[in-house]
PDB file of all heavy atoms in Angstrom:
ATOM      1  N   LEU B  87     112.821 110.913  69.875  1.00 98.00           N
ATOM      2  CA  LEU B  87     113.684 111.986  69.239  1.00 98.00           C
ATOM      3  C   LEU B  87     112.929 112.422  67.975  1.00 98.00           C
ATOM      4  O   LEU B  87     112.473 111.585  67.305  1.00 98.00           O
ATOM      5  CB  LEU B  87     115.066 111.338  68.879  1.00 98.00           C
ATOM      6  CG  LEU B  87     115.916 112.396  68.079  1.00 98.00           C
ATOM      7  CD1 LEU B  87     116.485 113.392  69.065  1.00 98.00           C
ATOM      8  CD2 LEU B  87     117.081 111.535  67.498  1.00 98.00           C
ATOM      9  N   SER B  88     112.886 113.757  67.762  1.00 98.00           N
ATOM     10  CA  SER B  88     112.161 114.178  66.604  1.00 98.00           C
ATOM     11  C   SER B  88     112.985 115.111  65.760  1.00 98.00           C
ATOM     12  O   SER B  88     113.932 115.750  66.255  1.00 98.00           O
ATOM     13  CB  SER B  88     110.813 114.836  66.992  1.00 98.00           C
ATOM     14  OG  SER B  88     111.153 116.210  67.487  1.00 98.00           O
ATOM     15  N   THR B  89     112.519 115.335  64.512  1.00 97.00           N
ATOM     16  CA  THR B  89     113.132 116.187  63.606  1.00 97.00           C
ATOM     17  C   THR B  89     112.218 116.690  62.493  1.00 97.00           C
ATOM     18  O   THR B  89     111.209 116.013  62.282  1.00 97.00           O
ATOM     19  CB  THR B  89     114.444 115.594  62.891  1.00 97.00           C
ATOM     20  OG1 THR B  89     115.089 116.484  62.010  1.00 97.00           O
ATOM     21  CG2 THR B  89     113.966 114.345  62.062  1.00 97.00           C
ATOM     22  N   ASP B  90     112.489 117.821  61.964  1.00 97.00           N
ATOM     23  CA  ASP B  90     111.753 118.353  60.726  1.00 97.00           C
ATOM     24  C   ASP B  90     112.454 118.041  59.451  1.00 97.00           C
ATOM     25  O   ASP B  90     112.011 118.364  58.371  1.00 97.00           O
ATOM     26  CB  ASP B  90     111.469 119.788  60.903  1.00 97.00           C
ATOM     27  CG  ASP B  90     110.309 120.101  61.901  1.00 97.00           C
ATOM     28  OD1 ASP B  90     109.415 119.407  61.945  1.00 97.00           O
ATOM     29  OD2 ASP B  90     110.405 121.106  62.579  1.00 97.00           O
ATOM     30  N   ASP B  91     113.631 117.474  59.647  1.00 95.00           N
ATOM     31  CA  ASP B  91     114.537 117.306  58.433  1.00 95.00           C
ATOM     32  C   ASP B  91     114.016 116.152  57.438  1.00 95.00           C
ATOM     33  O   ASP B  91     113.754 115.056  57.879  1.00 95.00           O
ATOM     34  CB  ASP B  91     115.942 116.717  59.001  1.00 95.00           C
ATOM     35  CG  ASP B  91     117.063 116.794  57.825  1.00 95.00           C
ATOM     36  OD1 ASP B  91     116.727 116.652  56.727  1.00 95.00           O
ATOM     37  OD2 ASP B  91     118.216 117.115  58.273  1.00 95.00           O
ATOM     38  N   GLU B  92     113.623 116.675  56.301  1.00 95.00           N
ATOM     39  CA  GLU B  92     112.987 115.743  55.320  1.00 95.00           C
ATOM     40  C   GLU B  92     113.981 114.789  54.763  1.00 95.00           C
ATOM     41  O   GLU B  92     113.618 113.666  54.282  1.00 95.00           O
ATOM     42  CB  GLU B  92     112.434 116.608  54.083  1.00 95.00           C
ATOM     43  CG  GLU B  92     111.279 117.561  54.569  1.00 95.00           C
ATOM     44  CD  GLU B  92     110.028 116.977  54.868  1.00 95.00           C
ATOM     45  OE1 GLU B  92     109.846 115.787  54.583  1.00 95.00           O
ATOM     46  OE2 GLU B  92     109.255 117.667  55.594  1.00 95.00           O
ATOM     47  N   ASP B  93     115.317 115.140  54.731  1.00 95.00           N
ATOM     48  CA  ASP B  93     116.332 114.364  54.027  1.00 95.00           C
ATOM     49  C   ASP B  93     116.832 113.162  54.897  1.00 95.00           C
ATOM     50  O   ASP B  93     117.435 112.253  54.288  1.00 95.00           O
ATOM     51  CB  ASP B  93     117.533 115.286  53.740  1.00 95.00           C
ATOM     52  CG  ASP B  93     117.128 116.414  52.867  1.00 95.00           C
ATOM     53  OD1 ASP B  93     116.108 116.155  52.076  1.00 95.00           O
ATOM     54  OD2 ASP B  93     117.640 117.548  52.903  1.00 95.00           O
ATOM     55  N   ILE B  94     116.659 113.149  56.239  1.00 95.00           N
ATOM     56  CA  ILE B  94     117.236 112.116  56.988  1.00 95.00           C
ATOM     57  C   ILE B  94     116.516 110.790  56.604  1.00 95.00           C
ATOM     58  O   ILE B  94     115.360 110.673  56.540  1.00 95.00           O
ATOM     59  CB  ILE B  94     116.963 112.411  58.466  1.00 95.00           C
ATOM     60  CG1 ILE B  94     117.763 113.509  58.909  1.00 95.00           C
ATOM     61  CG2 ILE B  94     117.281 111.098  59.371  1.00 95.00           C
ATOM     62  CD1 ILE B  94     119.288 113.409  59.024  1.00 95.00           C
ATOM     63  N   LYS B  95     117.446 109.760  56.323  1.00 93.00           N
ATOM     64  CA  LYS B  95     116.824 108.411  56.046  1.00 93.00           C
ATOM     65  C   LYS B  95     117.260 107.456  57.074  1.00 93.00           C
ATOM     66  O   LYS B  95     117.629 107.871  58.176  1.00 93.00           O
ATOM     67  CB  LYS B  95     117.535 107.930  54.718  1.00 93.00           C
ATOM     68  CG  LYS B  95     117.554 108.904  53.551  1.00 93.00           C
ATOM     69  CD  LYS B  95     118.102 108.295  52.300  1.00 93.00           C
ATOM     70  CE  LYS B  95     119.635 108.050  52.450  1.00 93.00           C
ATOM     71  NZ  LYS B  95     120.479 109.291  52.500  1.00 93.00           N
TER      72      LYS B  95
END
Side-chain angles (χ1 to χ4, degrees):
Chain B
L87 176 73
S88 78
T89 183
D90 282 321
D91 193 325
E92 301 286 344
D93 299 328
I94 294 291
K95 306 182 297 291

